[in-house]
Each structure stands twice: as structure tokens, then as C-alpha cells.
Amino acid sequence: MEKAKTSISIEEIKHLAWLARLELTEDEKKLYTRQLNKILEYFNMLSELNTENIPPTYHLTGKVNVFREDEPKPSLDVNEVLMNAPRKRKQFFECAKIV
Amino acid sequence: MKLYWLSAKEIRDKILAREVKAEEVLSEVFERIEDVEGKINAFITLCREEAFKKAKEVDSKIANGEKVGILAGIPLAIKDNISTKGIKTTCGSKMLYNYVPPYNATVVEKLLAEDAIIIGKTNMDEFAMGTTTETSYFGPTRNPWDISTVPGGSSGGSAAAVASGEAFLALGSDTGGSIRCPASFCGVVGLKPTYGLVSRYGLIAYANSFEQIGPIARNVYDCALLLSVIAGWDWRDSTSIQVENIDYTSKLSSKIGEVKVGIVREMVSEGVDEAVLKNFYNYVSKLENLNIPCEEVSIPTIKYVVPVYYLIAMSEASSNLARFDGVRYGYSLNIEGETLDWDKFYSKTRGSGFGAEVKRRIILGTYALSAGYYDKFFLKSLKALTLIRKGFDEAFKKFDILISPTMPIPPFKLGEKIDDPLSLYLCDIDTIPANLTGIPAVSIPCGFYHNLPIGVQIMAPQLKEDLVLKFAVLSEDIIGLKNLKPNI
């Protein structure tokens, strides 16, 4: 079995925060590095469990695909959809520049 | 006795018999809330106006001899991650502090159709991530048995509201124990149904492959009553199961017949508090006095349930919570006069909108799903899940019912564990297995430790809610603890 890697560096935390689009303060980065290392050290016990040839479980009640007729039904009114928008213009959400 | 201490069934029957009006019951409940809420903080939002409107409607239906629903006039609370049309639904987070859903969750539609009175939205750990209700943006909920103690979580507000007489019934949600843990800590009954029995449509997702909405009440009958209303197939939740609608209350009084009870060894061995064990075995001896055989059964893979659950749940959370972008609803960064690019705006909004535990889980979930770690953590967990399920299947070949303490430790003080996330995760070891296997599990009170409630957990195979509840009623009778009233 592959040797368990148990440590995660502050650089990795920074990278993960970027992947998750989650801005962290310097204090948070330090705190999470410490806490996540402790948690991962415990979670690493999983590597001792032999799962060779064991299929993964993707769904608890064994459902596969669920289809229904593609019949149009009423959907939410545009004003209701925009009701919670922090910023909007006419019937559009307004957001920061993406490209 | 005050009306608010009656059971849900008793209060409904009184309303139906015109001994009391729904409006009078509601007034008394709101008085009770005014008296104790300052100490408990069970609610994030109260909906007094809507509640009185509905109560008057129920009263006039009854006065006119019209048909009313089976929850007619019962004041009921709803966890704040379940969508209520026109009523703020915050998930206990700054991220949704002002969010008002434009639609009702299926369970809410069902409650209203049965003439229940929704009195408010209950406090919870932020996005249901927690075991204490301390991570709420709206401040912690306190245990009605001792306000220096946590009520459990994440549905701590729902359990505390029911326990303190602020509501007759409540809905919670349970992803890794979030109904059963607070039920145990607050001395009430809480059931996590079979995965797919209750529609999750309108439940704001944390880890959708494990979570279920379920009932919290002061006795097993009331719990069965509420389950009967919310259970059932829903086309809007493709994971919901096609089952007949069942009135679970009608099954409670029938004879239980011969049952074989297994005590899960891994849930009564190392790490379990002595007071918890003492209460648990006291219950076991009462079962044996009724000639119900109880035998130990070992499911060794239980050792791995904490990492398996957290790795999968955090992975799902990291993906599910990506939707909170500050554009469509909820909290958003103030960008007045600034020009931020999208990534900055999105990162800053999320960095300042989510609390510490949510961020921790998003980061760890992102890690478990990222290249190089996916096989080692996420996929490995899904494979371990297969083995854990197999272990329970084997146990259920020999036993009809499995029992264990609900929580390995008695309720603890606010602030005692919150700085050590791993110590909190480990508290979920007895509740997680029912989520990983999709089986029903209920927690009922089984004793006290220094005036703090201790719960016992009853589990059965998928869709055996009737058996779980029947066994819970029998247990409630022999334990002799129901409709408990904390001195608050």
C-alpha cells in the first residue's frame, strides 16, 4: 500500500483556497494548516484498510437513473428569481467582470 | 399544566374537540417563547404574523365544520436550512443572512397542507456543519437543561425549542447525526429516516448523498405523527423512494412479536463515557427483563466511519457550496466604487461570508477531490463505504434491531470543544453509521447524568421505520422517560 503522506503545507493551503475561491487571512492560513494536519493525520488510518477489488458505493439505495417526461411546467417568475439579487439591472443579475 | 407542555397529539385533539382554539394555543406558545428565548436562542426568525393568520384560518375551518389536516393547529418549528416561501432561510450563515426563498420545500408544503402552524425558523450550525450549534452566525443555542451546556447540533435550535416548550414539534436535518445528537442532548425524540424516504427538495444542501429531513418531538408518538406527514415520494427529488404513504402512528400499538436485538460492540467500547454506558446498560437490562434477548455484535469497519463520512461529506460540501457567489442571493461584497475582477470578487465574498468551520470543510473537501488525492481519499472512502454497508448488512441478517448510545459522551459546556474540530468530529462516531448505510435511526431519552439527558439510539434496516418506531415506543415505556420538562 502507498505510504500515507500526512502533512499539508501552508503553500498547499494557499493553493487549495485559490482552487475553492476562498480568500483566507494569514491567520486563517496558519490555523487551517495546523488543524487540517491534525485531522488528516487521523483520517490517514483509512490507508490501513484493504479495499482491493472493492467497488465504490455511489448511491445508498442503489438508484441509477431517474427519468421523467419532459413536459413544460410553470417556473418561477423573473421578478421572484431576481428578488434576492444583491445587484441587478432590468431582468439581469449584475456581477463582476468575468472576461 | 400549561398548554405548551401537552403533547402534539393532545393539543391537536383539544383543538379538534373545540376545547381550545388554535389561536389561544399559539398565543401561549409565543408567551413561552418570550419568556425563555432570551436564554435559549432556539430561533433565528419568528413568523408571528403568518402563524396567527394560519391559526385563525384553522379555527374558522373547525368552527365551520370543514375538514382539517392531521396537524391542525399544532405550532411547529422548522430548521433554517429548509426553504420557506417568503420567510427568511439563513442556514445559520452570514452568507444567507437576508435570503428569502421564492418557493417552499416539499416538506413545508406538506405541513401546511395538514394545517400545521409554522412559528419560526430554528438556529443551527452554519450550513448544518457542527455538533453543538455554536457555529451559527446568529450566536449559539443553549441547552434548556443547563444553559451553560451545548444543545448538540446541528439541529440544536429545533431540539431546544421542542425541549423547552417553545414548539410542539420541529423539523431538523441529519447528515451525520444532526437530528439525533441534539435530540439526545436535549432529552427529546429525533428520527433520521431512511435515505430517500423524505423529499430533500428545498433543503439547502450540505452533503446531499447522506442527508435527510426528519422529525423531532417530545415523545415517540408525536415523532411518528410528523414522519407520516413528511414521508413520501416526490418527483422533484430524484433520490426519493417510491413508497406507499404510511400512517406510522397506526403501527405503534400493534404487537412487536419476537425481535432480536444487537448491541453494537464498537459503539460501547473504548472512548465511551462511563455515565453513558451506565444509562445504556440500565436500558439493556430493562429489555432483558421483558425477555427480549440482547446480544453483542461486532462491526469492525465502524472504526473507519469518521474519516469516511467526513471525507465524502466535505468533498460534497466543497462542490455544493460553490453556488454561494454573491451574485444571485445572500451576502455579497460591497464593491461600491471598486473594480474587482470575478475571481477576486468571488473569493472575497466567500472569504468574508462563510464562518470558520464551513471554510475548513470546503478546504479539506477541495483537497480530497484534487488531483493526486482523489484516489487516496475520496475514492478510497467510497470503497470503504461499501465495506461498512456490508458489515451492517451482515449484522442485520442476525438481528432485527441494533442499539447503541446515541452520543459517546454526555452534553458538554459551550466553548469546551469548539477549538478542536477533530474532537468534535469524533463525537459523531455512533450516529454516522446510519447516514453511511441509509438506514433509519431514532434517539430517545434513556437517562440522566447530573440533570443532563443521555440518549439511546435504535437502528433497523432501510425502510423499517415502522419497526424502529414500534421498538422506540416499547423502549419509551420501559425507560419511563417521555414528555420531559426541563426546569427553564
Side-chain angles (χ1 to χ4, degrees), chain A residues 60-61, chain B residues 174 191-200 209-215 227 231-232 237 239-241 243 248 434-435 437-442 459-466 468:
Chain A
L60 298 181
T61 50
Chain B
D174 190 314
L191 176 109
K192 182 206 84 79
T194 300
Y195 185 78
L197 182 68
V198 178
S199 168
R200 288 181 298 106
S209 67
F210 296 137
E211 56 209 5
Q212 272 288 283
I213 295 171
L227 180 68
D237 174 2
T239 61
S240 75
I241 303 173
V243 281
Y248 292 97
N435 301 85
T437 54
I439 61 172
V442 69
M459 299 171 274
Q462 287 186 6
L463 294 175
K464 296 270 189 192
E465 270 77 4
D466 52 344
V468 165

Side-chain angles (χ1 to χ4, degrees), chain A residues 32, chain B residues 44 79-81 90-97 122-139 153-155 178 204-206 317 321 324 331 349-362:
Chain A
Y32 291 160
Chain B
I44 293 173
K79 189 177 182 181
D80 213 21
N81 59 351
T90 70
C91 278
S93 180
K94 180 180 177 185
M95 196 54 112
L96 289 175
Y97 77 102
T122 55
N123 203 4
M124 55 186 280
D125 280 298
E126 187 178 2
F127 284 101
M129 300 178 189
T131 310
T132 62
T133 317
E134 289 175 285
T135 70
S136 169
Y137 175 63
F138 302 93
S154 66
S155 312
S178 282
I204 298 173
Y206 147 38
L321 271 62
F324 301 105
Y331 167 77
T349 294
R350 292 158 57 75
S352 51
F354 289 134
E357 182 59 26
V358 174
K359 288 190 227 180
R360 209 155 23 233
R361 294 194 192 191
I362 291 175

Side-chain angles (χ1 to χ4, degrees), chain B residues 256 287 290 292 469-479:
Chain B
I256 194 155
L287 288 175
L290 287 184
I292 296 172
L469 288 165
K470 215 188 293 185
F471 196 76
V473 159
L474 176 147
S475 303
E476 187 179 55
D477 280 347
I478 58 171
I479 294 169

Side-chain angles (χ1 to χ4, degrees), chain B residues 100-116:
Chain B
V100 178
Y103 64 95
N104 276 325
T106 299
V107 290
V108 172
E109 283 180 358
K110 287 179 173 223
L111 295 178
L112 292 172
E114 294 298 340
D115 289 318

Side-chain angles (χ1 to χ4, degrees), chain B residues 205-239:
Chain B
Y206 147 38
N208 39 295
S209 67
F210 296 137
E211 56 209 5
Q212 272 288 283
I213 295 171
I216 296 175
R218 287 193 289 259
N219 61 67
V220 176
Y221 183 97
D222 286 355
C223 186
L225 177 68
L226 185 50
L227 180 68
S228 307
V229 172
I230 60 174
W233 179 76
D234 178 18
W235 67 273
R236 291 173 296 190
D237 174 2
S238 59
T239 61

